Amino acid sequence: MIKRLLGVDVDLTVCPSDVGWYSWLQKQGQQMCWVGDYEPLPYNLGQLFPTVEDPHQYWREVDYSQFKPIQGSVEALEKLSQYFGIVFISRIKGNHTKSKYYWLKEHFPFMTEYVATHGKWVMNNSVECMIDDRLDVLKQFDFNKRVCFNTPYAQSVDCDIAINFSVWNDEIVKRICERYL
């Protein structure tokens, strides 16, 4: 039996790669703006380090093996995998795609597939829902497919979403199953 697919973002949704980026930025240059100056935090942490020439270099070469999955994400997605195929859909940036794939394979061995793309929206007609931390990504999906994992970062757009959550747990598994099964 072919399972319906759930799209899941990687960075900041199941992987705390922002922590690595912040540490990398601290090593590259002096922090000129303090986190307390922003409410909410800028999604582009490079704004806190204006002396860093190319703050996005981190994303072109990040090694995902340094990270542990966001608490509860493995367990929740494994439960959801009983009913849905789990497809990680992530944006391509530089050479880190191979590292990300092997990290996902290690921590989420039940995943159905990994899709690396510049435009996640191309999967709109293929997934039951898309779980992502960015509203600008979710806005490109049909309303009923928008599931937002909340982070402390500023959003660049506003849009209505079907489900909103901040913690990977049994409650979100139940809510997703109720809505998409």
Side-chain angles (χ1 to χ4, degrees):
M1 177 175 120
I2 298 175
K3 296 178 183 178
R4 293 180 278 179
L5 303 177
L6 292 185
V8 183
D9 176 44
V10 178
D11 295 296
L12 283 72
T13 303
V14 297
C15 180
S17 50
D18 56 330
V19 174
W21 189 23
Y22 186 77
S23 295
W24 182 87
L25 286 165
Q26 286 181 314
K27 291 174 186 167
Q28 303 304 307
Q30 183 178 1
Q31 184 172 348
M32 303 298 285
C33 304
W34 301 105
V35 173
D37 295 339
Y38 290 91
E39 192 61 42
L41 291 171
Y43 181 66
N44 176 1
L45 292 176
Q47 292 175 350
L48 302 174
F49 298 85
T51 62
V52 176
E53 187 175 324
D54 184 6
H56 296 283
Q57 180 64 31
Y58 168 82
W59 294 106
R60 290 188 281 281
E61 47 193 45
V62 62
D63 177 3
Y64 281 80
S65 67
Q66 67 185 298
F67 303 117
K68 299 285 183 220
I70 290 176
Q71 185 175 0
S73 62
V74 174
E75 297 81 4
L77 287 169
E78 187 168 25
K79 289 174 184 173
L80 287 167
S81 74
Q82 296 173 39
Y83 309 102
F84 302 96
I86 306 299
V87 177
F88 288 99
I89 304 169
S90 192
R91 192 171 192 301
I92 296 171
K93 186 77 170 175
N95 298 319
H96 78 277
T97 300
K98 183 177 180 181
S99 172
K100 188 182 290 189
Y101 169 76
Y102 284 108
W103 183 86
L104 288 167
K105 194 172 176 179
E106 175 186 349
H107 294 287
F108 301 89
F110 51 84
M111 75 174 178
T112 302
E113 193 54 77
Y114 168 60
V115 176
T117 183
H118 280 285
K120 297 177 189 179
W121 60 269
V122 299
M123 299 299 292
N124 184 53
N125 292 332
S126 300
V127 297
E128 293 298 311
C129 73
M130 179 65 195
I131 303 170
D132 205 295
D133 64 301
R134 301 302 303 159
L135 294 180
D136 56 336
V137 170
L138 293 174
K139 190 172 187 170
Q140 299 171 7
F141 286 80
D142 298 339
F143 163 76
N144 63 322
K145 297 181 180 193
R146 299 175 189 163
V147 178
C148 186
F149 180 73
N150 297 318
T151 67
Y153 299 102
Q155 298 285 349
S156 59
V157 301
D158 194 21
C159 71
D160 292 328
I161 53 173
I163 296 177
N164 193 16
F165 72 105
S166 301
V167 178
W168 286 101
N169 58 22
D170 287 341
E171 177 61 29
I172 191 57
V173 171
K174 179 181 174 187
R175 288 174 62 199
I176 288 172
C177 287
E178 286 174 353
R179 184 166 189 109
Y180 298 106
L181 283 179

